[in-house]
Amino acid sequence: LVAVLPESTECSSWRVIPIRIDMDQRTRSGVVTIVNDSDDPLSFSVEAREWTQDINGNDQYTETADILYFPKNLIVGPRSERIIRAGIKVPAVSTEKTYRLFIKQEADPDRRSATAVAIVIRFGVPIFSKPLKETFSGEITQSLVTHGMLTLSIKNNGNTHFRIQTVKLAGTDPNGVSVWSHELSGAYLLAGTERVFTTELPDGVCSQTNALAIEVVADRVQLNGQIDVDKAMC
């Protein structure tokens, strides 16, 4: 949802506006609004977590005291809205700091029953604290085809995040004729981290492919690469 919707996101009968908070040396706080579009009051709990990524680009969340936020629990009345305020104690200097403010809808105890299934919805608002000077840099560190499987690694060499919107793949035969095209879903890539993408070339496509063009479409960088494919890779 964060990657698709630019300003707000809908979770069942409630919305969050905006879907991210940006901070820097001058702007050390932000506001998130929860909008209740239903005819019933809704209860929420709020929790801040530091946001990092492991060596495979998977998101990791840990407890943090860096973010101050209020309230931590709230009720939003029918067809109404309430705000959550968040601020950072010490802003980023050399490398961007990243967090998420998790907003979770709590099940209404008065509406529970022995046979009902409670669906808990949680949305994580990204919080980005920009460094004094942002640098945007990325590279394709690995691209290979083995046994018909494509492995692609993308690294963020900058000091702030960028968001991969999509990874476009285009295979051509020895005559330059298109034989295959495919797109991989993107994701946030935090500063200094690397994400691995894999996908299988369909049966019959790999043996026809002579070259595989790679285009990484991101909001702050543009990366391109190519793999020369031979039948031994299939």
Side-chain angles (χ1 to χ4, degrees):
L1 288 175
V2 171
V4 175
L5 302 177
E7 296 180 356
S8 68
T9 186
E10 295 188 20
C11 300
S12 181
S13 57
W14 55 280
R15 293 178 286 135
V16 176
I17 306 172
I19 61 166
R20 60 181 283 172
I21 298 175
D22 292 293
M23 300 180 184
D24 54 29
Q25 296 294 317
R26 294 184 177 181
T27 306
R28 300 190 183 187
S29 63
V31 172
V32 174
T33 301
I34 301 178
V35 181
N36 181 2
D37 293 320
S38 74
D39 295 321
D40 300 304
L42 300 177
S43 298
F44 298 91
S45 61
V46 185
E47 190 175 45
R49 287 285 184 268
E50 183 180 4
W51 174 22
T52 59
Q53 292 177 331
D54 63 18
I55 59 174
N56 295 316
N58 298 315
D59 294 335
Q60 305 289 314
Y61 302 105
T62 55
E63 293 186 5
T64 181
D66 294 352
I67 301 296
L68 302 174
Y69 56 98
F70 180 83
K72 297 184 178 181
N73 296 278
L74 67 158
I75 297 175
V76 184
R79 303 293 173 181
S80 61
E81 59 187 50
R82 286 191 62 181
I83 64 173
I84 302 169
R85 301 183 186 276
I88 190 169
K89 290 182 178 180
V90 180
V93 177
S94 59
T95 303
E96 181 182 58
K97 294 182 178 181
T98 50
Y99 309 87
R100 278 192 187 268
L101 191 67
F102 285 103
I103 302 171
K104 184 175 71 171
Q105 179 185 355
E106 300 292 343
D108 186 349
D110 296 333
R111 294 178 178 270
R112 292 176 182 171
S113 68
T115 58
V117 176
I119 299 176
V120 176
I121 299 174
R122 187 176 75 157
F123 180 74
V125 179
I127 299 176
F128 299 108
S129 179
K130 299 178 182 179
L132 288 172
K133 184 178 180 180
E134 292 182 293
T135 58
F136 306 108
S137 177
E139 66 173 322
I140 299 173
T141 58
Q142 182 187 52
S143 56
L144 55 89
V145 176
T146 306
H147 303 300
M149 180 68 70
L150 168 67
T151 300
L152 177 67
S153 298
I154 302 171
K155 186 175 182 180
N156 182 348
N157 293 321
N159 69 348
T160 188
H161 79 279
F162 61 78
R163 182 167 58 85
I164 300 172
Q165 298 162 336
T166 185
V167 178
K168 298 181 179 181
L169 306 173
T172 55
D173 66 11
N175 297 317
V177 178
S178 175
V179 295
W180 182 65
S181 63
H182 186 60
E183 290 192 21
L184 302 175
S185 299
Y188 279 110
L189 194 58
L190 303 184
T193 61
E194 190 169 1
R195 181 177 291 270
V196 178
F197 295 83
T198 59
T199 188
E200 186 176 6
L201 278 66
D203 292 340
V205 169
C206 186
S207 59
Q208 299 178 49
T209 302
N210 179 69
L212 187 62
I214 303 167
E215 180 184 2
V216 180
V217 181
D219 57 353
R220 293 168 166 177
V221 297
Q222 187 82 17
L223 306 175
N224 296 92
Q226 180 173 305
I227 304 174
D228 294 326
V229 183
D230 60 51
K231 292 184 179 180
M233 299 178 179
C234 304

